[in-house]
Amino acid sequence: MPQIQPIHLDEQLCFQVYSANKKFNHFYQQALKPFDLTYPQYIAMLTLWQYAPLSVKQLGEYLHLDSGTLTPLLKRLESHGWISRSRSRSDERTVVIQLTDKAKEQQNVVYGHINSCFDILGLTPDEKETCMQAMTTLEQKLDLYNDPQV
């Protein structure tokens, strides 16, 4: 039986993604601290700034999160004054998320702060694009593996 060569930790793509993710989480934790937002709340706000009003189901589809994960996140955003939630008039089962005045007023402030934080990283536009393309390719390959119907 041939001997199988071990794959070392520093050769693992999954470890590189994991490690980068941890570092991004720390980066965003610091960057979002002035706004009392977590990263999951921030990506929810990014989506809402782009598409609001949205139902909880629609937001979940954009973020790839289920309602059990979204509900506590949305409750916190609501308690901090970023969003309001209400039942749809046309379908009582549907909860619609709206932006508050605070969210609308803070949108450019948050964008400006996050952009200035990214300037600190010093990624050139080409480096950012290369990273985005590599992550998109990786995500597509994983989608094909995890769901052959995709």
Side-chain angles (χ1 to χ4, degrees), residues 10 15 42 44 51 55 91 131 148:
D10 61 350
F15 183 72
Y42 170 68
Y51 300 110
S55 70
D91 182 355
C131 289

Side-chain angles (χ1 to χ4, degrees), residues 13 133-150:
L13 176 60
Q133 287 176 356
M135 290 294 104
T136 298
T137 299
L138 182 58
E139 186 176 15
Q140 290 169 346
K141 301 271 185 187
L142 288 167
D143 283 343
L144 288 172
Y145 175 79
N146 291 323
D147 186 4
Q149 302 302 319
V150 175

Side-chain angles (χ1 to χ4, degrees), residues 1-149:
M1 182 172 192
Q3 185 176 1
I4 297 174
Q5 291 291 75
I7 302 173
H8 299 283
L9 185 62
D10 61 350
E11 297 170 343
Q12 293 282 328
L13 176 60
C14 58
F15 183 72
Q16 293 300 314
V17 172
Y18 167 79
S19 181
N21 182 56
K22 283 186 63 159
K23 291 174 184 182
F24 255 121
N25 284 340
H26 182 73
F27 171 83
Y28 274 106
Q29 183 179 28
Q30 298 304 312
L32 295 169
K33 196 175 199 173
F35 307 103
D36 199 24
L37 290 170
T38 64
Y39 181 73
Q41 292 168 343
Y42 170 68
I43 62 173
M45 290 306 301
L46 287 179
T47 307
L48 291 165
W49 279 320
Q50 188 170 358
Y51 300 110
L54 288 175
S55 70
V56 172
K57 181 180 179 184
Q58 290 170 317
L59 181 61
E61 288 169 357
Y62 278 112
L63 299 177
H64 309 285
L65 296 172
D66 61 41
S67 64
T69 302
L70 272 178
T71 299
L73 182 151
L74 294 172
K75 283 182 178 180
R76 286 190 305 273
L77 284 173
E78 188 173 37
S79 72
H80 288 112
W82 290 97
I83 63 163
S84 64
R85 296 176 301 152
S86 59
R87 297 271 172 203
S88 168
R89 291 184 183 157
S90 62
D91 182 355
E92 283 287 316
R93 298 169 295 176
T94 302
V95 175
V96 177
I97 308 160
Q98 299 273 358
L99 294 169
T100 62
D101 289 340
K102 171 186 174 174
K104 293 171 187 172
E105 292 165 3
Q106 290 293 302
Q107 180 179 2
N108 285 334
V109 177
V110 173
Y111 285 168
H113 183 71
I114 297 301
N115 286 344
S116 68
C117 289
F118 260 99
D119 290 343
I120 293 168
L121 293 178
L123 283 176
T124 67
D126 287 343
E127 288 171 327
K128 181 183 175 197
E129 183 60 29
T130 299
C131 289
M132 294 287 288
Q133 287 176 356
M135 290 294 104
T136 298
T137 299
L138 182 58
E139 186 176 15
Q140 290 169 346
K141 301 271 185 187
L142 288 167
D143 283 343
L144 288 172
Y145 175 79
N146 291 323
D147 186 4
Q149 302 302 319

